[in-house]
Amino acid sequence: MYTSSPSLYLLVIIIIKQISYITTEKLPSALSSIELATKYGHPPTQYNIITEDGYILAVFRLPGRSRIPVLLMHGILDSSDMWMLRGNTSLAITLANNGYDVWLANSRGNRYSRRHKILNPDTDPAFWQFSFHEMGYYDLPAVIDTILNESGAKKLSAIGHSQGNTMFYVLGSERKEYNSKINVLIALAPIAYLHNTPPPLSIVIQLSPLIESLVKKLGVYEIFGDNSTTGLLVHKFCSTPDIAYAVCIEQILFPVLGFDREELEPEFAPTLTVHYPAGTSVQSILHFLQIGYRKMFARYNYGSKVNRRTYNSPDPPEYQWDKITMPIALLAARNDRLSSIPDVAILRRRLPSVVFYLENPRSTLNHVDFIVGRNMPVYLFPYIFQILHENNHFVD
């Protein structure tokens, strides 16, 4: 439980309201996904995919000679950029260099998928009424169908990071016909439960009812978008060389995701912070906080009144693990403070089709090392290529 402090409540409101008066400036320049892929030798094709509910998603294809496409799905507040920031030692470029047909998706609401057929993200709050549920239920089917149609393959392989895996659990549970379209999901830093997260995140989870009440009162829908006040502040502040590492990495990122200065070095910090965060809905953050607070992997909790209208129940329904039959490889890290080993263990017990499990032998591997660590080709890529080799099956 939590105790509501009126003075704390008022202070947070004042701070957030004052932030809105800060003069906005242009973000520091950053290479786009198209520019990154082209820079490293793989000029991509862009697809603008429209979901069932009208969102327009940007997906980039790095064509390869392999007949089996590989879909890379980023985590929360992230984008397709992150898979290429390390250049020739990044996962997307390494896969492309080895002949894989690589597809980089962007979930709704980030910098590449902030579009809709009807809704305006700047003026329509309805645009932002989504979380990983809608990403799994609508975004992934649209992306998977497009990939299979364009490639001629019957099945694909997928690699997810963090929320990029949560989406697949929703897909397998809610749209079970898609289980058979996936050779294997390689789940890097998989997230489904947040029972065992240490401070400071555990404190935020306990305060989540207060946080949810505040954002609703203030009418905040988007967070850390490129043109939002929060996004402009973070990118401007954290791209400053003297601040990027000492504050944004060591004081903010590492306490939540795990400390590992060897893999995320000071020289790389400005490159990371100009691309990350890439924006999402506030509801996406709140959904994960609800999972931690309620200790249930369930649909979004709107409150009993709206839940009854939406789910015909005062409580949101839990996702059904037994329907998730796609083969899944779980790759966890002992120094991951967000996707902790005990929480991954709960997930592993729930999933009926785990084909591979690994606690990475590198003891300081953290949550973000899986996608931007300096030495990924040494401690991570051999396992990914092994799993792909053992599970990739082309169906005529």
Side-chain angles (χ1 to χ4, degrees):
M1 298 294 291
Y2 73 98
T3 57
S4 177
S5 167
S7 59
L8 174 61
Y9 188 89
L10 181 61
L11 177 62
V12 174
I13 290 178
I14 292 171
I15 291 172
I16 295 176
K17 283 186 175 293
Q18 287 301 313
I19 286 175
S20 66
Y21 292 104
I22 294 175
T23 301
T24 59
E25 299 179 28
K26 290 187 69 176
L27 288 171
S29 60
L31 295 179
S32 68
S33 282
I34 289 177
E35 292 169 327
L36 285 166
T38 302
K39 178 180 178 180
Y40 297 111
H42 298 279
T45 301
Q46 178 174 341
Y47 294 82
N48 295 311
I49 298 172
I50 302 176
T51 68
E52 261 181 72
D53 57 344
Y55 286 80
I56 304 171
L57 315 176
V59 176
F60 303 103
R61 181 185 191 182
L62 284 56
R65 62 180 179 274
S66 172
R67 294 195 298 169
I68 302 176
V70 178
L71 166 62
L72 273 60
M73 193 68 247
H74 63 77
I76 196 167
L77 290 170
D78 215 336
S79 75
S80 52
D81 296 351
M82 196 70 89
W83 299 107
M84 297 181 284
L85 293 188
R86 287 288 186 179
N88 286 318
T89 60
S90 64
L91 182 56
I93 302 302
T94 299
L95 288 168
N97 286 343
N98 281 270
Y100 283 89
D101 183 14
V102 179
W103 295 73
L104 306 174
N106 287 281
S107 60
R108 60 182 63 195
N110 82 353
R111 67 168 52 98
Y112 295 113
S113 299
R114 197 177 179 272
R115 295 176 292 166
H116 193 277
K117 289 177 63 179
I118 300 171
L119 301 174
N120 184 334
D122 295 320
T123 59
D124 295 328
F127 177 93
W128 299 102
Q129 302 306 307
F130 64 79
S131 71
F132 63 76
H133 176 83
E134 286 74 18
M135 296 174 191
Y137 192 89
Y138 294 111
D139 293 4
L140 280 180
V143 170
I144 290 171
D145 288 346
T146 298
I147 292 174
L148 298 182
N149 288 337
E150 291 293 321
S151 67
K154 299 296 184 183
K155 305 177 76 171
L156 58 77
S157 296
I159 302 173
H161 177 249
S162 194
Q163 179 190 258
N165 303 307
T166 317
M167 296 162 59
F168 276 93
Y169 310 146
V170 173
L171 177 74
S173 173
E174 299 293 305
R175 306 189 72 162
K176 58 183 181 179
E177 67 273 17
Y178 280 88
N179 284 288
S180 62
K181 298 183 180 183
I182 298 168
N183 282 314
V184 64
L185 167 64
I186 301 176
L188 310 177
I191 289 281
Y193 294 99
L194 295 167
H195 294 8
N196 298 283
T197 53
L201 184 57
S202 60
I203 298 172
V204 176
I205 287 172
Q206 288 306 307
L207 291 172
S208 60
L210 172 61
I211 294 169
E212 188 166 354
S213 176
L214 279 172
V215 297
K216 288 180 179 178
K217 182 178 180 67
L218 294 169
V220 180
Y221 303 103
E222 181 183 15
I223 188 166
F224 299 130
D226 288 347
N227 297 318
S228 68
T229 302
T230 51
L232 287 163
L233 283 171
V234 169
H235 285 295
K236 189 70 176 176
F237 184 75
C238 292
S239 63
T240 305
D242 293 338
I243 294 175
Y245 200 79
V247 177
C248 298
I249 303 300
E250 291 202 320
Q251 301 301 318
I252 300 175
L253 201 67
F254 279 166
V256 176
L257 304 182
F259 291 80
D260 191 357
R261 296 174 181 89
E262 181 181 340
E263 286 303 300
L264 185 50
E265 71 281 16
E267 295 77 16
F268 182 70
T271 299
L272 175 64
T273 55
V274 80
H275 289 272
Y276 179 90
T280 191
S281 68
V282 169
Q283 186 168 311
S284 294
I285 305 290
L286 293 177
H287 198 171
F288 277 109
L289 293 180
Q290 288 180 0
I291 287 172
Y293 187 79
R294 300 178 70 240
K295 297 188 183 302
M296 295 173 60
F297 186 58
R299 292 188 61 175
Y300 190 81
N301 183 17
Y302 297 100
S304 59
K305 185 176 180 179
V306 178
N307 285 345
R308 284 190 175 93
R309 291 201 306 266
T310 306
Y311 309 126
N312 197 30
S313 167
D315 298 308
E318 291 188 69
Y319 293 104
Q320 299 179 325
W321 293 109
D322 60 333
K323 292 185 177 180
I324 306 171
T325 57
M326 68 185 77
I328 298 178
L330 299 174
L331 278 67
R334 283 169 280 175
N335 189 37
D336 188 339
R337 295 169 66 87
L338 185 57
S339 179
S340 68
I341 293 296
D343 287 335
V344 175
I346 299 172
L347 172 63
R348 186 184 181 188
R349 290 196 296 270
R350 299 283 196 275
L351 287 168
S353 56
V354 175
V355 296
F356 183 93
Y357 175 76
L358 175 73
E359 291 179 24
N360 196 282
R362 189 174 182 280
S363 62
T364 55
L365 190 73
N366 70 12
H367 194 77
V368 75
D369 289 345
F370 282 102
I371 45 170
V372 292
R374 178 161 47 178
N375 296 298
M376 291 182 292
V378 176
Y379 59 75
L380 180 62
F381 292 177
Y383 300 109
I384 290 177
F385 280 99
Q386 174 191 336
I387 297 166
L388 288 174
H389 177 72
E390 292 176 353
N391 292 274
N392 270 358
H393 306 291
F394 187 84
V395 180
D396 291 317

